[in-house]
Amino acid sequence: MKNLFLFLIVLITIASCDSIDSTYNTFPEGEKDHTNSNFDKAKTKHLDWNAEINFDEKKINATAKWTFENKGTDELILDIKDIEVSKVVLADKEVEFEIRAVDSMGDALIIPIGKNDSTVEITYSAGGGVAIQWLAKEQTAGKKMPYLFTQCESIYARTLVPCQDAPANRITYNATVKVPTGMMAVMSAKNPKQKNAEGIYKFEMELPIVTYMIALAAGDIEYKAIDARSGVYTEPSMLAKCARELEDIPSMIAAAEKLGGPYPWGNYDVLVCPPSFPIGGMENPRLTFATPTIIAGDKSLVSLIAHELAHSWSGNLVTNSNWNDLWLNEGFTSYFEKRIMEEITDKDYTEMLWEIAYQDLQADLKDFKENKWNDTRLKVDLKNRHPEECFSAIPYDKGALFLRTLEETVGREKFDIWLSKYFAAHKFTPMNTGMAVKYMEENLDLQNADIDIQEWIFKPGLPEKTAYVFPKRFKKIDDATKTFLANPRNAESLNARSWSTHEWLYFLRKLPKPMETKTLRTLDASYALTGIGNSEIADEWYLQAIASKYERAYPAMEKFLKSVGRKKFLEPLYKELVKTEDGKKLAIRILDEAAPNYHPLAARKMRTIVK
Ligand code: BES
Ligand code: ZN
C-alpha cells in the first residue's frame, strides 16, 4: 500500500513537471501594462547571467545571454532602464540595437532578430538603477566590507538586467557572479553555503520565475543552517542571533504545506539584510530578503517570515498576471500568513494580528476617502500609473479579510480544499482577477452563500458583512488602559511586562494624542519605551512622543530614524514631525543627515513628505 502511494506521488510529480513547460508560456490577454517588451511575440525563456561586481565604481558589469522563442516577428524588445549597453550579439554576430525612451517607468531595448534566431547576448553595465542599493562598509554591521542588495518588485528588474519585465512572463536563469575576495554572493536560486577564495559563485534557478523575483546580494555574508532545507544568511556578527530568532522556520514550512501542498522550491532560506533594506521583506524564491528590524530577540515579529514564506505559493507559484491584480499576491499571502501563525501559535494570538491589520485597513480607507476612493477596490486600474501608486493596506488586508470572509461563509474544510487546488491547478502560471473569480464560482458552492464576491472585488470600500472579530486579548488591554488613564501616575497597574508586541501596539495606538509629559514619563519609567529595541513598538512610541512634544525621547527617535531604512517606520514619523514648525525643522535636519543611509526610493519618498 505504502509503495503504491509512493509510486503515485512519483507519477504525479512527473506529470506536474511536464505541465510546467506547457503552461508557463501561456498568459491571459491584455497583460502588457508596465512593460515595453513584446513577450507575446518573441518570448525570452532562459537567462544566462555573467556578472562582475565592482564596488569601487558601484557598477555591475555583465553579459545577459537570453534564449528566446521567436513567434514570428523581426524584433526582440526588452525592458531597460538606467543601464548602459555596449554590445549586442545575435547568434555569433554583433548587431545594431536601439534604445527607445518611453516613459519614466522605463525604456525599450529593441534588437532586430531573424526567423531562426534563438539567443542574444547583451553586454552592459548597471549600477545607478533603483533595483540596486550600494552600501559603504560603514553602513553594515561588521563595517569591514561594502555590501549590495537588490529589490526588483515591482518593475525594477529592468534596471538590473535588460529583460521582459512583466509578471505574466516567466523565465529560468543561471548566473555566475564575481565579487571581491572575502565576500559571498547569494541569489534567488540554489545558493552557496560557504565563501570561496576566488569570489566566484554559480547559481541556478531551474524553475520558472518572474523577473521581479530575480535577486542578488553580496557582502560579508555567512550561512547557518536551521535544518536540512532551511537556514539563515547574514553578516557574521548577527548570524547566531538571527538563526535563533528564526529557528521556527521549519515548523512554519510544515504549517504552510498543510494548506498549500508540498513546498515547491527545494530550499527555503532567509537573508537578513543590513538596516537600510527599504521594506520589511521580499519573497525572492528560495531566499527571502528581510529587514533586521524583525530580529526583536523574542521571536515576536516572525509573522513577517510567515508572510514571505506564504508567497512561495501565493505569488511565486501562482503569480498576479498584472499589477492591477496585486491583491492576488498580497491578499492571498496575508490570509495565508495568518493561517500559518494560527497553526504555530493559537487562535487568540492570531486574532491580534487580524485586528492590527484591520486597523491598518481602516486607516487607509479613511486616507483614500477623498481622492483615491477607486483605489480601495481589490482590482485596481493602473493604466499609465506606476504599480506602486496603489500600494496600501487594500490589496493586503482587504484582500485577506475577503478570503477570511469567504472561508467562514463556505466553511474552513471546503475552503482549504479549494485553496490547495487553486495552487496546484495554476502553478507556474499567471493569474488574474477574472480567472480567480471564475475558479471560486466554479469550485466553491456559492449559490446560496451569503457573500457578494463582485462587491468585494470590484467595488470600493468594505462590504458591510465581514468576518471581523474583536480579539479577546485586546479586551483585556482595553480594560487595563481604562484603569491606567483614570490614574495615569501608576503605569504599574497596566501589568504590561508580559505583553506581546501586538498588545503593546494596540495599547499605544489607542492612547489619546497628545498626552501629558508626566504620563509618558511614568510609562517610560516602568517600561523603558524610549530606546526600546523592538522596532514596531519603538515606532508607535515615537509617534506619541512627537505628537506630545515629549522631548526626552527625541535623541532615541533620531537614532531610530538614522539607523532604520524601512519605509513603513520612517514614513509615519516624518509625517508626524512636519505637522509643527519646530518638528519640520528637526525633520529637515534629520533627513539631511540620514538620507545617505536610506534606499534611494525611501529617500525620495521621505523628501516628498519633508519639503
Ligand atoms: N512582496 C512584498 C513587497 C513588495 C510588494 C515590494 C509590492 C514591492 C511591491 C512583500 O511580500 C511584503 O508584503 N512585505 C511587507 C511585509 C508583510 C509582512 C506585510 C513589508 O515589506 O512591509
Ligand atoms: Zn507580501
Side-chain angles (χ1 to χ4, degrees):
M1 189 63 202
K2 203 167 153 201
N3 280 345
L4 180 68
F5 186 64
L6 276 178
F7 176 66
L8 274 177
I9 298 239
V10 170
L11 257 189
I12 291 168
T13 315
I14 293 171
S16 60
C17 285
D18 244 341
S19 73
I20 295 174
D21 205 31
S22 56
T23 51
Y24 86 78
N25 287 329
T26 60
F27 63 92
E29 277 175 56
E31 309 296 359
K32 292 195 65 192
D33 290 355
H34 309 113
T35 179
N36 299 309
S37 76
N38 64 343
F39 69 102
D40 50 340
K41 300 201 177 78
K43 191 208 168 301
T44 48
K45 298 185 87 172
H46 179 79
L47 168 66
D48 252 307
W49 196 53
N50 216 306
E52 182 166 352
I53 318 244
N54 184 330
F55 280 91
D56 296 330
E57 291 177 15
K58 297 193 176 157
K59 287 232 157 87
I60 299 178
N61 298 312
T63 56
K65 183 173 175 186
W66 283 105
T67 308
F68 60 89
E69 184 190 344
N70 186 349
K71 297 181 179 172
T73 174
D74 54 8
E75 48 188 27
L76 172 71
I77 310 179
L78 307 181
D79 291 296
I80 190 166
K81 185 172 165 61
D82 299 326
I83 281 180
E84 265 172 57
V85 177
S86 53
K87 193 163 86 176
V88 174
V89 174
L90 199 64
D92 286 321
K93 78 175 188 304
E94 197 171 333
V95 293
E96 297 275 320
F97 57 88
E98 183 197 344
I99 294 186
R100 190 177 295 160
V102 180
D103 59 24
S104 61
M105 292 186 261
D107 306 326
L109 169 60
I110 303 168
I111 301 165
I113 54 172
K115 239 192 1 243
N116 298 319
D117 287 320
S118 63
T119 62
V120 63
E121 186 173 277
I122 303 156
T123 305
Y124 71 95
S125 159
V130 164
I132 309 160
Q133 190 177 5
W134 301 91
L135 302 182
K137 55 181 195 265
E138 297 75 28
Q139 290 169 278
T140 64
K143 315 217 180 304
K144 279 206 307 242
M145 291 176 211
Y147 198 103
L148 161 144
F149 61 76
T150 65
Q151 165 55 35
C152 289
E153 193 179 8
S154 52
I155 53 167
Y156 306 125
R158 63 191 68 175
T159 73
L160 178 66
V161 54
C163 61
Q164 295 181 317
D165 199 10
N169 177 45
R170 296 184 92 89
I171 56 137
T172 54
Y173 78 85
N174 284 0
T176 304
V177 178
K178 186 168 183 340
V179 293
T181 329
M183 284 194 184
M184 175 142 78
V186 289
M187 292 192 80
S188 50
K190 279 188 192 137
N191 273 306
K193 299 207 159 125
Q194 253 154 4
K195 287 178 181 164
N196 66 47
E198 305 80 46
I200 296 175
Y201 297 91
K202 290 196 178 301
F203 302 93
E204 192 186 355
M205 175 43 93
E206 75 290 358
L207 297 169
I209 60 158
V210 173
T211 46
Y212 78 78
M213 300 169 202
I214 297 174
L216 166 73
D220 189 5
I221 296 170
E222 285 181 5
Y223 178 73
K224 189 168 166 52
I226 296 173
D227 74 353
R229 71 173 158 184
S230 292
V232 177
Y233 288 88
T234 192
E235 288 188 66
S237 66
M238 312 242 304
L239 196 55
K241 195 173 179 204
C242 292
R244 229 177 301 124
E245 192 89 10
L246 303 179
E247 68 187 3
D248 294 333
I249 286 178
S251 10
M252 285 187 182
I253 300 178
E257 287 184 318
K258 278 202 198 166
L259 202 59
Y263 176 73
W265 301 92
N267 291 347
Y268 180 75
D269 297 314
V270 174
L271 170 74
V272 180
C273 291
S276 67
F277 191 60
I279 61 175
M282 177 62 209
E283 67 270 27
N284 298 313
R286 292 186 173 147
L287 183 63
T288 284
F289 284 22
T291 165
T293 60
I294 57 162
I295 307 300
D298 60 359
K299 301 185 183 175
S300 60
L301 302 176
V302 295
S303 62
L304 183 132
I305 299 298
H307 179 98
E308 305 313 334
L309 169 67
H311 272 306
S312 305
W313 290 265
S314 43
N316 294 354
L317 197 59
V318 182
T319 310
N320 52 214
S321 68
N322 188 292
W323 297 113
N324 296 336
D325 297 320
L326 179 68
W327 79 276
L328 295 174
N329 276 17
E330 297 301 343
F332 273 67
T333 297
S334 299
Y335 169 82
F336 198 161
E337 162 207 330
K338 312 278 193 312
R339 292 292 305 274
I340 296 174
M341 292 310 290
E342 186 181 321
E343 192 73 25
I344 67 163
T345 62
D346 57 51
K347 239 189 152 79
D348 285 343
Y349 182 90
T350 313
E351 287 300 355
M352 298 196 293
L353 302 180
W354 278 106
E355 169 66 23
I356 297 286
Y358 190 74
Q359 290 182 354
D360 293 341
L361 174 59
Q362 289 298 344
D364 277 356
L365 285 170
K366 195 166 149 218
D367 235 36
F368 282 27
K369 191 94 207 175
E370 241 161 58
N371 302 318
K372 295 180 85 178
W373 192 235
N374 264 339
D375 292 342
T376 66
R377 295 176 300 187
L378 282 180
K379 167 130 187 138
V380 288
D381 182 2
L382 284 165
K383 198 110 209 129
N384 301 322
R385 299 157 80 198
H386 195 288
E388 264 139 64
E389 272 192 43
C390 279
F391 189 82
S392 76
I394 307 300
Y396 286 78
D397 303 318
K398 182 181 173 182
L401 192 58
F402 164 51
L403 293 176
R404 179 175 174 176
T405 308
L406 189 58
E407 176 217 308
E408 291 185 6
T409 307
V410 300
R412 181 168 279 194
E413 206 177 319
K414 280 194 190 146
F415 183 79
D416 286 2
I417 293 170
W418 177 84
L419 190 62
S420 64
K421 270 171 56 187
Y422 168 86
F423 292 133
H426 305 105
K427 60 184 172 185
F428 301 107
T429 60
M431 171 61 62
N432 65 24
T433 297
M435 291 160 71
V437 169
K438 190 158 175 260
Y439 201 71
M440 283 170 196
E441 289 174 343
E442 286 177 356
N443 298 284
L444 280 168
D445 198 8
L446 292 170
Q447 269 74 31
N448 301 313
D450 183 17
I451 185 166
D452 187 343
I453 293 189
Q454 301 291 326
E455 181 188 0
W456 270 99
I457 295 176
F458 299 106
K459 292 206 177 136
L462 206 58
E464 209 172 307
K465 187 176 158 272
T466 74
Y468 173 77
V469 178
F470 187 73
K472 277 195 219 129
R473 285 178 65 169
F474 285 167
K475 285 207 179 88
K476 286 200 187 130
I477 305 298
D478 278 340
D479 294 342
T481 309
K482 235 186 251 154
T483 315
F484 168 64
L485 289 177
N487 181 11
R489 305 302 292 273
N490 180 14
E492 289 301 320
S493 73
L494 287 167
N495 236 328
R497 284 205 174 73
S498 60
W499 285 0
S500 69
T501 302
H502 311 290
E503 279 148 330
W504 271 108
L505 291 185
Y506 180 76
F507 168 70
L508 291 171
R509 284 179 178 193
K510 276 285 159 92
L511 286 180
K513 283 192 185 102
M515 289 181 81
E516 284 187 36
T517 302
K518 276 201 304 245
T519 313
L520 297 178
R521 277 211 74 135
T522 314
L523 278 169
D524 231 353
S526 284
Y527 303 108
L529 293 166
T530 298
I532 193 169
N534 183 308
S535 52
E536 297 274 355
I537 299 175
D539 205 49
E540 287 295 339
W541 178 245
Y542 299 141
L543 274 178
Q544 175 66 259
I546 299 165
S548 306
K549 291 214 167 45
Y550 177 56
E551 289 181 357
R552 199 176 163 273
Y554 281 22
M557 176 208 37
E558 179 168 342
K559 202 168 152 212
F560 183 74
L561 283 170
K562 286 180 175 169
S563 58
V564 168
R566 190 174 169 188
K567 280 184 288 179
K568 172 185 149 182
F569 292 145
L570 302 178
E571 213 175 309
L573 290 177
Y574 281 112
K575 278 188 176 154
E576 193 62 42
L577 275 170
V578 299
K579 284 182 184 167
T580 66
E581 274 310 305
D582 286 352
K584 193 164 177 177
K585 270 190 214 139
L586 184 60
I588 291 171
R589 181 182 60 74
I590 296 177
L591 182 57
D592 275 346
E593 292 169 19
N597 286 330
Y598 294 162
H599 187 278
L601 278 182
R604 200 197 299 166
K605 178 85 207 187
M606 298 319 131
R607 287 235 161 76
T608 64
I609 298 168
V610 183
K611 342 177 249 270

Short mmCIF file of all heavy atoms in Angstrom, two decimals, residues 83 107 145 155 284 338 387 398 470 485 518 561:
data_model
loop_
_atom_site.label_atom_id
_atom_site.label_comp_id
_atom_site.label_asym_id
_atom_site.label_seq_id
_atom_site.Cartn_x
_atom_site.Cartn_y
_atom_site.Cartn_z
N ILE A 83 20.55 51.61 -17.65
CA ILE A 83 21.57 50.61 -17.99
C ILE A 83 22.30 51.07 -19.24
O ILE A 83 21.67 51.61 -20.15
CB ILE A 83 20.90 49.23 -18.24
CG1 ILE A 83 20.57 48.55 -16.90
CG2 ILE A 83 21.77 48.35 -19.11
CD1 ILE A 83 19.90 47.20 -17.03
N ASP A 107 12.44 52.25 -20.53
CA ASP A 107 12.67 52.37 -21.96
C ASP A 107 12.58 50.99 -22.61
O ASP A 107 12.42 49.99 -21.92
CB ASP A 107 14.06 52.98 -22.21
CG ASP A 107 14.21 54.30 -21.47
OD1 ASP A 107 13.20 55.02 -21.34
OD2 ASP A 107 15.32 54.59 -20.99
N MET A 145 33.36 45.36 5.10
CA MET A 145 33.26 45.27 3.63
C MET A 145 32.00 45.99 3.16
O MET A 145 31.01 46.01 3.87
CB MET A 145 33.09 43.80 3.22
CG MET A 145 34.29 42.95 3.42
SD MET A 145 33.86 41.25 2.99
CE MET A 145 34.94 40.40 4.12
N ILE A 155 8.68 46.88 -10.73
CA ILE A 155 9.18 46.97 -12.11
C ILE A 155 10.62 47.48 -12.17
O ILE A 155 10.95 48.32 -12.98
CB ILE A 155 8.25 47.84 -13.00
CG1 ILE A 155 8.00 49.22 -12.38
CG2 ILE A 155 6.93 47.14 -13.26
CD1 ILE A 155 7.37 50.22 -13.35
N ASN A 284 11.85 36.69 -2.43
CA ASN A 284 12.66 36.16 -3.51
C ASN A 284 12.70 34.63 -3.38
O ASN A 284 13.01 34.12 -2.31
CB ASN A 284 14.06 36.78 -3.45
CG ASN A 284 13.98 38.28 -3.65
OD1 ASN A 284 13.32 38.76 -4.56
ND2 ASN A 284 14.63 39.04 -2.76
N LYS A 338 -1.64 34.48 8.15
CA LYS A 338 -2.38 34.34 9.42
C LYS A 338 -2.68 32.87 9.71
O LYS A 338 -2.69 32.45 10.86
CB LYS A 338 -3.70 35.12 9.38
CG LYS A 338 -3.59 36.54 8.88
CD LYS A 338 -3.14 37.52 9.92
CE LYS A 338 -3.37 38.94 9.46
NZ LYS A 338 -2.89 39.26 8.08
N PRO A 387 2.93 51.00 -10.73
CA PRO A 387 2.28 49.98 -9.90
C PRO A 387 2.27 50.35 -8.41
O PRO A 387 1.33 50.01 -7.69
CB PRO A 387 3.12 48.73 -10.12
CG PRO A 387 3.77 48.93 -11.43
CD PRO A 387 3.90 50.40 -11.66
N LYS A 398 -7.58 44.16 2.95
CA LYS A 398 -8.94 43.93 2.43
C LYS A 398 -8.96 42.58 1.72
O LYS A 398 -9.91 41.81 1.85
CB LYS A 398 -9.36 45.06 1.48
CG LYS A 398 -10.77 44.90 0.95
CD LYS A 398 -11.19 46.02 -0.02
CE LYS A 398 -12.53 45.73 -0.67
NZ LYS A 398 -12.93 46.76 -1.64
N PHE A 470 -13.44 40.92 17.20
CA PHE A 470 -12.55 41.66 18.09
C PHE A 470 -11.82 40.67 19.02
O PHE A 470 -12.45 39.85 19.68
CB PHE A 470 -13.33 42.69 18.91
CG PHE A 470 -12.43 43.56 19.71
CD1 PHE A 470 -11.66 44.54 19.08
CD2 PHE A 470 -12.31 43.39 21.08
CE1 PHE A 470 -10.79 45.32 19.82
CE2 PHE A 470 -11.45 44.19 21.82
CZ PHE A 470 -10.69 45.16 21.19
N LEU A 485 -5.65 55.17 32.48
CA LEU A 485 -5.96 56.57 32.16
C LEU A 485 -6.71 57.26 33.30
O LEU A 485 -6.63 58.48 33.45
CB LEU A 485 -6.77 56.65 30.85
CG LEU A 485 -5.96 56.33 29.58
CD1 LEU A 485 -6.85 56.36 28.35
CD2 LEU A 485 -4.77 57.28 29.39
N LYS A 518 4.14 64.14 31.93
CA LYS A 518 4.17 63.36 33.18
C LYS A 518 3.75 61.91 32.94
O LYS A 518 4.38 60.99 33.41
CB LYS A 518 3.13 63.97 34.17
CG LYS A 518 3.60 65.14 34.98
CD LYS A 518 2.73 65.31 36.24
CE LYS A 518 1.27 65.45 35.92
NZ LYS A 518 0.57 66.66 36.20
N LEU A 561 15.56 56.91 13.48
CA LEU A 561 15.38 57.39 12.11
C LEU A 561 16.66 57.28 11.29
O LEU A 561 16.62 57.15 10.07
CB LEU A 561 14.91 58.86 12.10
CG LEU A 561 13.44 59.10 12.43
CD1 LEU A 561 13.17 60.59 12.63
CD2 LEU A 561 12.54 58.56 11.32
#
